[in-house]
């Protein structure tokens, strides 16, 4: 199939509604299913109603057009709005068997290769509308007062430390995002790149999955977020591994041409993703009330170690820059 036609969505959603699809684990706002359909194994992503819009559909479609034929990209088989109680965007792709990495540190090189490909494969700026250019920093840069309302609501009680972190760090993080914003054409943006979204399956090539937040960005948003998610010692904590940080910075400098003296800004840009956005927390709690406390505890652990980890990143970048300056 050359592209989405709208023909498969109703049939696949009927199978999902009838219980013939396996729901995959996840704590995000969207739902994922695995389904056998006409001899094909399909991956079905059902976006939550609040994230289901024509803009979202066009973002994913624009990325799909740009990446079709890339060996690590699972192309869209069909996509469209499905009307039940509230319209939902449904995206169908081939299901990719294989293993997600339990330790993202082993895949930093391959991850940066993908991010470099995304920058090269992006269409010209004239082909990308401003409404398709969006990343996790955009809501904070557009309306920080709205996004910080949740932090205002948790200034006392169990999550008071998290609210204080937002108050202390948000302004500096947004300054870094502004400095990293480019005026030239946007690049392709996956939105959630880390080792866990690189699927390895024997002799088959690498496949990148979870394209829910795909679109275009004028910032190195994928690299910035991946820095935090790929250099941890373990998935359950935010203790950064010094060797992994150095490896990531070296590859980011070589492949994305980001100066070492800008690495602190890159780290602060990525940290924006861990700020509890007002609307995002509401969507998480709406899907499952138990997800809210889990998410808040998770991002609280990030902020409890932010200063130490940012110092490690900055010191590593300064050392690498010094080594580069001493080369003959």
């Amino acid at each position: 199939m050359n592209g989405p036609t709208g023909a498969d969505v109703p049939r696949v959603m009927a199978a999902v509604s009838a219980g013939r699809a396996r729901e995959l684990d996840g704590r995000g706002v969207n739902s994922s299913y695995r389904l056998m359909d006409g001899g094909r194994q399909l991956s079905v992503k059902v976006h939550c109603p609040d994230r289901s819009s024509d803009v979202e559909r066009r973002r994913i479609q624009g990325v799909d057009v740009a990446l079709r034929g890339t060996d690590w990209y699972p192309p869209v088989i069909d996509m469209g709005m499905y009307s039940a109680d509230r319209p939902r965007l449904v995206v169908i792709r081939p299901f990719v068997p294989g293993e997600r990495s339990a330790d993202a540190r082993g895949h930093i090189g391959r991850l940066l290769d993908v991010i470099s490909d995304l920058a090269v494969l992006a269409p010209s700026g004239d082909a990308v509308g401003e409404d398709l250019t969006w990343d996790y920093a955009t809501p904070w840069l557009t309306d920080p007062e709205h996004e910080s309302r949740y932090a205002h609501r948790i200034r006392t009680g169990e999550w008071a430390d998290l609210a204080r972190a937002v108050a202390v760090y948000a302004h500096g993080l947004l300054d870094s995002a502004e400095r990293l914003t480019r005026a030239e054409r946007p690049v392709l943006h996956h939105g959630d790149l880390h080792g866990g979204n690189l699927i390895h399956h024997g002799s088959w090539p690498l496949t990148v999955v979870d394209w829910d937040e795909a679109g275009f960005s004028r910032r190195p948003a994928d690299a910035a977020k991946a820095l935090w998610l790929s250099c941890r010692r373990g998935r359950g904590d935010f203790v950064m591994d010094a060797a992994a940080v150095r490896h990531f910075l070296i590859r980011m400098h070589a492949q994305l041409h980001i100066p070492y003296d800008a690495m602190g800004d890159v780290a602060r840009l990525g940290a924006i993703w861990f700020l509890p956005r007002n609307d995002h927390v509401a969507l998480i709690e709406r899907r499952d009330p138990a997800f809210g406390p889990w998410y808040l505890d998770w991002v609280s652990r990030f902020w409890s170690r932010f200063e130490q980890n940012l110092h490690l990143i900055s010191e590593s970048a300064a050392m690498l820059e010094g080594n580069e300056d001493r080369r003959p």
Side-chain angles (χ1 to χ4, degrees):
M1 185 177 293
N2 294 324
T5 65
D8 289 334
V9 167
R11 184 179 71 256
V12 165
M13 288 305 295
V16 170
S17 299
R20 297 199 301 273
R22 175 188 169 191
E23 186 168 7
L24 304 178
D25 293 337
R27 295 180 181 271
V29 298
N30 300 328
S31 301
S32 300
Y33 301 89
R34 177 181 175 180
L35 174 69
M36 183 65 72
D37 176 74
R40 303 177 298 178
Q41 283 198 87
L42 302 180
S43 171
V44 182
K45 185 75 71 169
V46 182
H47 290 234
C48 71
D50 300 85
R51 294 278 180 87
S52 296
S53 66
D54 186 60
V55 170
E56 197 72 9
R57 180 191 64 78
R58 289 190 293 115
R59 280 193 195 118
I60 294 172
Q61 185 177 49
V63 171
D64 185 66
V65 169
L67 292 183
R68 277 185 173 266
T70 306
D71 60 5
W72 44 257
Y73 175 73
V76 173
I77 294 172
D78 195 19
M79 175 171 57
M81 301 297 289
Y82 179 77
S83 296
D85 52 338
R86 297 173 66 190
R88 297 167 180 258
L89 177 63
V90 178
V91 183
I92 304 171
R93 302 178 188 268
F95 179 82
V96 180
E99 298 296 327
R100 292 178 183 255
S101 172
D103 189 345
R105 292 174 294 178
H107 305 290
I108 287 172
R110 302 184 84 177
L111 188 70
L112 267 298
D113 288 341
V114 169
I115 294 174
S116 299
D117 286 348
L118 291 173
V120 172
L121 294 168
S124 65
D126 292 342
V128 180
E130 285 301 315
D131 57 342
L132 306 186
T133 305
W134 187 97
D135 59 50
Y136 53 81
T138 305
W140 284 95
L141 291 168
T142 303
D143 193 350
E145 290 187 10
H146 175 79
E147 294 306 328
S148 59
R149 283 178 190 168
Y150 189 80
H152 294 326
R153 296 206 301 270
I154 57 172
R155 283 180 294 181
T156 59
E158 183 178 1
W159 309 112
D161 287 344
L162 177 57
R164 281 192 289 272
V166 176
V168 169
Y169 297 118
H171 182 73
L173 305 186
L174 298 183
D175 283 346
S176 290
E178 291 280 13
R179 283 192 290 271
L180 292 169
T181 302
R182 298 177 291 264
E184 59 265 27
R185 73 180 179 93
V187 299
L188 290 165
H189 176 67
H190 175 279
D192 195 23
L193 276 178
H194 54 83
N197 279 336
L198 307 184
I199 302 296
H200 308 268
H201 27 217
S203 61
W204 291 16
L206 163 80
T207 301
V208 181
V209 299
D210 283 355
W211 292 87
D212 306 34
E213 301 173 37
F216 303 86
S217 173
R218 287 194 168 88
R219 292 174 282 270
D222 272 333
K225 179 179 174 181
L227 170 62
W228 292 105
L229 293 179
S230 299
C231 298
R232 299 178 291 169
R233 293 182 184 175
R235 293 190 66 183
D237 62 43
F238 284 100
V239 180
M240 301 292 273
D241 181 289
V245 168
R246 288 194 296 272
H247 184 198
F248 198 103
L249 299 185
I250 290 168
R251 293 295 294 257
M252 187 160 53
H253 176 67
Q255 294 181 250
L256 303 182
H257 311 295
I258 297 175
Y260 284 121
D261 63 7
M263 296 301 181
D265 277 338
V266 172
R268 283 185 285 270
L269 167 63
I272 294 174
W273 189 72
F274 297 91
L275 293 173
R277 286 179 50 210
N278 187 55
D279 295 345
H280 182 67
V281 176
L283 290 179
I284 290 174
E285 292 176 334
R286 195 176 305 159
R287 180 179 176 190
D288 186 333
F291 286 177
W294 174 88
Y295 169 75
L296 294 173
D297 178 66
W298 190 68
V299 295
S300 292
R301 278 181 275 145
F302 173 87
W303 291 109
S304 71
R305 294 197 58 87
F306 175 67
E307 289 191 7
Q308 301 98 304
N309 287 330
L310 183 62
H311 179 74
L312 170 63
I313 293 168
S314 299
E315 288 292 301
S316 299
M319 182 189 68
L320 292 168
E321 183 177 33
N323 291 341
E324 189 174 59
D325 291 342
R326 287 192 290 271
R327 290 176 186 171

